[in-house]
Amino acid sequence: MKQLKGPRTPGFVQKIQWSSDPIGYMDAAAQKFPDIFEAKITPVGNTQVLVSHPQAIQQIMTQDVKSEYAAPDGNLMRPVFGDESLLFQDPKHHLRQRKLLMPSFHGERMTAYGRAICNLAQQVSEELSSGEIFSARAIMEDISLEVILEVIFGLSEGERYQILKELLVYYSGVFQSKIFNLLLLSPSLQKKLGFLNSWQNFLHKRQQIDQLLYAEIKERRAKPDPERTDILSMLLLARDEDGERMSDVEIRDQLITLLLTGHETTATSMAWALYWIHYHPEIRAKLLKEIDRLGDSPDPMDIFRLPYLTAVCNETLRIYPVVPISGPRMVKESFELMGYEIQPGTALHCCIYLTHHREDLYPNSKQFQPERFIEHQFSPYEFIPFGGGSRRCLGAALAMFEMKLVIATILSRYRLLLADNKPVKPIRQAITLIPAGGVRMILQGQRLRQQMSQPVANPV
Ligand code: HEM
């Protein structure tokens, strides 16, 4: 069998490269090792192997017996997500939780959330004034949080909603703090340096959130409302094969997990979509033509089915996938992958970014070309923004639905421009790739129907 190879640079240098310029690191490695390579970029496993060949990805995603998913930084993340989080369960418990959660995220359920998502997108954008420069990512974060509060938590007004919203803004941003990440990764420092406030503050806010969430769960259990369609209500009713329901702690931990996995990821992908659409005025014009054909107040499901909008969202998730590598699959027994022997203890990652930049699948891969998704149907191992297998993103259907509805709502109502004409580069934040600077845009004003499909040049 062949010997696995990878960049020769020492591990600590690779870690620095991965942190400071993940795209540069992956592109350089792929020049030499286009399908699979050994990397030294995270502390997970004895060694990490990044895979970008669709056949090998299929093998990894469908061979759960040989490798088992492990949450990134495993136990260290437990204080943030909670012990019962889906992320930390062994395969048996994970399957039980997925079965309880999945029906709420099924594509068909999305129809119930469509109108609410369009309204929230409109409400948040209405707060912008004409001529204002704003960060697309910040606005998308606001929309994405409102969607999570309403669609997942079932909260849209009242005192509890207001307080929880402020606390959740803090909670979903904890990974952005370098001090917090340092404390999280070094439990011994949590006690020693807890007085530095960051850790104490986190514990205090977590306690406040828990009080509010448990109060909400208790009230909903006491007074079930069959009219409710939010995901929390679905989870309270869900029963496993033995007729058991989820405990309050299990529900609390899943709610927090959904917030932390779904908030920034969706907001970032929507900000990238706005960037690409406005960077290419001809794409914006084509998209508007398609959206406008649906008339005033279109049905959200009709928006969802638009082919060019779908292609634009797919291309957005292809070119800079928000999550550039899948969660690690820890190898339990040695097996052969593409002629290489993979040793137990190895952390296997499907390299989503490099798969999406294979020239044999995506010619001119660095160019934003939505048409490639109209001309060709890619397999679930060639286009993998949401990972795959038993750990595939639980919120994929909701994320795609939200992305399309929010983009269509904003585009059809407002005239926006990029504030700078320079290309925006992706940078790494925690496990995601975000646009540097957040994509600065200018609101030019409301859109009139006759201006619809005219390409608008960006100011330089
Ligand atoms: C565009 C937005 C999103 C992207 C690009 C994305 C991407 C991903 C990826 C790559 C994974 C890892 C899959 C693997 O290792 O095979 C994942 C897992 C997950 N995502 Fe998402 N995600 C997005 C939005 C959401 C939303 C909206 C939610 C929920 C509200 C969500 C919930 C989850 C959960 C719970 C997991 C863990 C699944 C498990 O371990 O079984 N994600 N996501």
Side-chain angles (χ1 to χ4, degrees), residues 61 69 86-87 94 98 105 152 257-258 261-262 265-266 269 317 322-323 326-327 329 352 385-388 390-395 398-399:
M61 296 296 193
Y69 173 88
L86 174 79
L87 299 182
H94 176 252
R98 289 275 305 201
F105 285 92
I152 298 184
T257 301
L258 296 172
T261 49
T265 44
T266 313
S269 46
L317 293 170
V322 178
V323 183
S326 77
R329 269 68 172 173
I352 300 174
F386 298 104
S390 62
R391 291 283 176 164
R392 184 174 190 266
C393 174
L394 188 74
L398 176 60

Side-chain angles (χ1 to χ4, degrees), residues 215-230:
E216 185 69 22
I217 293 171
K218 195 171 168 201
E219 276 174 30
R220 300 256 200 116
R221 283 213 201 272
K223 273 195 249 141
D225 178 354
E227 299 292 304
R228 278 185 168 275
T229 53
D230 57 85

Side-chain angles (χ1 to χ4, degrees), residues 34 48 76 81 97 108 123 133 158 188 231 238 242 255 288 303 339 345 412:
Q48 297 98 53
L76 299 173
F81 288 85
Q97 289 193 345
E108 283 168 23
Q123 270 167 35
I133 295 190
S188 60
I231 289 171
D242 302 323
L255 290 178
L288 277 174
I303 300 177
S412 57

Side-chain angles (χ1 to χ4, degrees), residues 167-312:
L167 288 166
L168 294 180
V169 167
Y170 159 82
Y171 209 78
S172 62
V174 284
F175 295 118
Q176 288 171 27
S177 153
K178 288 206 166 66
I179 296 184
F180 180 81
N181 281 314
L182 177 72
L183 290 168
L184 192 64
L185 295 175
S186 332
S188 60
L189 287 184
Q190 287 165 14
K191 281 198 197 102
K192 283 190 207 142
L193 300 181
F195 63 88
L196 275 183
N197 237 337
S198 196
W199 191 251
Q200 291 303 333
N201 194 23
F202 162 72
L203 294 179
H204 179 61
K205 294 254 169 62
R206 189 182 65 181
Q207 191 191 12
Q208 289 178 294
I209 291 172
D210 288 356
Q211 268 172 3
L212 292 167
L213 286 183
Y214 286 127
E216 185 69 22
I217 293 171
K218 195 171 168 201
E219 276 174 30
R220 300 256 200 116
R221 283 213 201 272
K223 273 195 249 141
D225 178 354
E227 299 292 304
R228 278 185 168 275
T229 53
D230 57 85
I231 289 171
L232 170 56
S233 299
M234 303 287 116
L235 295 185
L236 289 167
L237 292 175
R239 295 282 180 274
D240 67 13
E241 282 156 0
D242 302 323
E244 295 285 326
R245 63 183 197 188
M246 288 175 125
S247 69
D248 289 4
V249 177
E250 255 184 300
I251 290 189
R252 177 268 179 212
D253 290 359
Q254 307 319 331
L255 290 178
I256 292 294
T257 301
L258 296 172
L259 166 79
L260 295 175
T261 49
H263 175 220
E264 296 278 333
T265 44
T266 313
T268 301
S269 46
M270 294 192 296
W272 275 125
L274 281 181
Y275 164 72
W276 287 114
I277 291 165
H278 291 85
Y279 195 74
H280 295 287
E282 69 291 353
I283 290 180
R284 176 182 175 272
K286 195 169 166 182
L287 199 51
L288 277 174
K289 228 182 225 169
E290 187 185 65
I291 297 167
D292 288 344
R293 259 188 246 121
L294 295 178
D296 290 330
S297 303
D299 183 328
M301 284 319 278
D302 289 337
I303 300 177
F304 179 71
R305 289 189 206 102
L306 288 175
Y308 194 63
L309 177 61
T310 304
V312 168

Side-chain angles (χ1 to χ4, degrees), residues 387-413:
S390 62
R391 291 283 176 164
R392 184 174 190 266
C393 174
L394 188 74
L398 176 60
M400 280 310 278
F401 195 55
E402 182 175 342
M403 223 178 142
K404 291 182 195 179
L405 298 194
V406 170
I407 295 299
T409 304
I410 292 181
L411 238 60
S412 57
R413 283 173 192 277

Side-chain angles (χ1 to χ4, degrees), residues 32-199:
K32 284 191 178 163
F33 319 104
D35 298 328
I36 180 168
F37 67 93
E38 204 173 57
K40 296 186 179 75
I41 50 172
T42 73
V44 188
N46 305 338
T47 174
Q48 297 98 53
V49 171
L50 265 56
V51 180
S52 49
H53 192 287
Q55 235 172 309
I57 290 174
Q58 180 169 15
Q59 198 180 335
I60 295 167
M61 296 296 193
T62 52
Q63 268 201 358
D64 281 350
V65 274
K66 296 274 169 41
S67 59
E68 191 176 287
Y69 173 88
D73 297 321
N75 291 330
L76 299 173
M77 292 293 172
R78 283 174 186 253
V80 187
F81 288 85
D83 287 338
E84 298 294 327
S85 164
L86 174 79
L87 299 182
F88 308 125
Q89 306 309 310
D90 60 41
K92 188 172 152 223
H93 289 101
H94 176 252
L95 185 64
R96 172 183 177 270
Q97 289 193 345
R98 289 275 305 201
K99 280 189 182 161
L100 287 164
L101 284 159
M102 261 331 264
S104 312
F105 285 92
H106 200 273
E108 283 168 23
R109 291 259 353 117
M110 295 304 129
T111 41
Y113 314 136
R115 191 54 63 200
I117 295 175
C118 294
N119 290 343
L120 290 170
Q122 199 179 326
Q123 270 167 35
V124 173
S125 339
E126 265 165 14
E127 283 165 23
L128 292 168
S129 8
S130 205
E132 188 179 337
I133 295 190
F134 64 95
S135 150
R137 185 154 177 270
I139 295 295
M140 295 302 115
E141 276 180 357
D142 286 354
I143 296 175
S144 162
L145 182 66
E146 294 288 357
V147 170
I148 287 181
L149 279 165
E150 184 155 344
V151 168
I152 298 184
F153 291 62
L155 295 170
S156 56
E157 56 188 7
E159 202 189 351
R160 188 174 290 156
Y161 154 81
Q162 280 300 347
I163 304 174
L164 203 51
K165 186 171 144 183
E166 269 175 44
L167 288 166
L168 294 180
V169 167
Y170 159 82
Y171 209 78
S172 62
V174 284
F175 295 118
Q176 288 171 27
S177 153
K178 288 206 166 66
I179 296 184
F180 180 81
N181 281 314
L182 177 72
L183 290 168
L184 192 64
L185 295 175
S186 332
S188 60
L189 287 184
Q190 287 165 14
K191 281 198 197 102
K192 283 190 207 142
L193 300 181
F195 63 88
L196 275 183
N197 237 337
S198 196
W199 191 251

